[in-house]
Amino acid sequence: MPEPTEPLTGAPAPTAPAGRVAAFFDVDNTIIRGASSFHLAVGLYRRGFFKRSDIVRFAVHQIRYLTFGENRQQIDEVRQRALEIMHGRSVAEVVAIAEDIYDEVLALRIFPGTQRLLDQHLRTGHEVWLVTATPVEIADIIARRLGATGALGTIAEHKDGFYTGRLVGDLLHGRAKAEAVRALAEREGLDLERSFAYGDSTNDVPILSEVGFPCAINPDGRLRKHAAEVGWPMREFRGRRNATRRGVDAATVAGSVWVLGLVVRTARRAIRSRWGAR
């Protein structure tokens, strides 16, 4: 069954109201299948930024995320390790690599249904903001490529063009997203009661609760349950084969095989090295 071409928010189709209206979109598993930061990590690994053990750790997190949804503890662990790795790296270099990753990977993983919805908001004259825990450098690239108004993301501190290994503020996640949206609305004069928000995870409940027209897109089990309880509309853009988090797609399987290959090759080298030393 083809996906509808009209906005499916459970509310009236977006119209151009008198005030300033915005649509706020989460990124991972709402606009892009999987975790965008993982794909950046793979690109950085291939360019010598990460060790194999790091990319294996990130890959395991990606598989768990696609299968079971978000876990704050896992996110914090990955964030801390990523900050350690990025310490002393050039911001300009990372941004250039992120541009390549968008073209090579992320552009191919955008949900067509979500993109149509985003485009309809833009055509209607609404502002469109991406709000994500993803580093703001990546969020800005995705927003620019999609024609969105702008992006709010996690800010990694940098000095003289190099990352310090610390964050400015906290990870933009959960309640922090809602706080960032309220601050943006006050600064830009946005009417949250007339605005829209889209997210896939129970961690998006705070931002969804801030607007007049929330909608769960590709919801995980906990968000699906919450949305049903409070009467929020839900839309599924993953297709039948991916209608649940347990339907891990072919790309994830391929990624798992790739990571397994890294582990096996590393183990083989360790064994050969051990036997060669005898």
Side-chain angles (χ1 to χ4, degrees), residues 78-92:
V78 170
R79 176 203 63 179
Q80 185 57 42
R81 180 56 184 152
L83 285 171
E84 293 171 1
I85 292 169
M86 298 308 295
H87 179 220
R89 295 287 186 172
S90 163
V91 176

Side-chain angles (χ1 to χ4, degrees), residues 40 44 47-49 86 88-100 161-163:
L40 176 65
L44 294 174
R47 291 162 175 83
F49 276 59
M86 298 308 295
R89 295 287 186 172
S90 163
V91 176
E93 182 182 12
V94 172
V95 169
I97 292 172
E99 293 274 8
D100 291 340
F162 295 88
Y163 290 107

Side-chain angles (χ1 to χ4, degrees), residues 67-230:
T67 308
F68 302 110
E70 289 182 323
N71 178 296
R72 179 59 191 255
Q73 181 179 352
Q74 293 171 7
I75 290 172
D76 286 344
E77 290 174 357
V78 170
R79 176 203 63 179
Q80 185 57 42
R81 180 56 184 152
L83 285 171
E84 293 171 1
I85 292 169
M86 298 308 295
H87 179 220
R89 295 287 186 172
S90 163
V91 176
E93 182 182 12
V94 172
V95 169
I97 292 172
E99 293 274 8
D100 291 340
I101 298 307
Y102 182 91
D103 292 331
E104 296 168 4
V105 181
L106 299 184
L108 305 177
R109 300 181 67 83
I110 293 173
F111 292 109
T114 309
Q115 174 142 30
R116 284 199 293 270
L117 186 55
L118 186 152
D119 290 343
Q120 285 176 322
H121 278 292
L122 290 172
R123 286 197 300 271
T124 303
H126 297 166
E127 293 191 11
V128 171
W129 290 84
L130 309 190
V131 187
T132 175
T134 293
V136 70
E137 291 87 353
I138 306 172
D140 282 340
I141 290 169
I142 297 172
R144 187 173 71 252
R145 296 298 189 92
L146 294 178
T149 309
L152 304 176
T154 298
I155 301 175
E157 182 185 73
H158 51 85
K159 184 177 181 180
D160 299 326
F162 295 88
Y163 290 107
T164 66
R166 296 186 295 270
L167 290 182
V168 176
D170 197 6
L171 186 74
L172 198 65
H173 191 262
R175 294 189 181 280
K177 282 187 177 182
E179 294 170 2
V181 164
R182 285 196 298 271
L184 176 70
E186 183 175 353
R187 185 170 68 249
E188 300 293 329
L190 304 176
D191 186 349
L192 293 181
E193 286 297 319
R194 304 171 75 177
S195 293
F196 301 74
Y198 304 93
D200 73 292
S201 163
T202 186
N203 294 301
D204 293 318
V205 167
I207 187 176
L208 293 170
S209 301
E210 286 293 322
V211 300
F213 301 107
C215 180
I217 290 182
N218 306 329
D220 64 17
R222 289 176 296 174
L223 179 58
R224 185 178 296 277
K225 180 180 178 181
H226 181 81
E229 290 173 349
V230 300

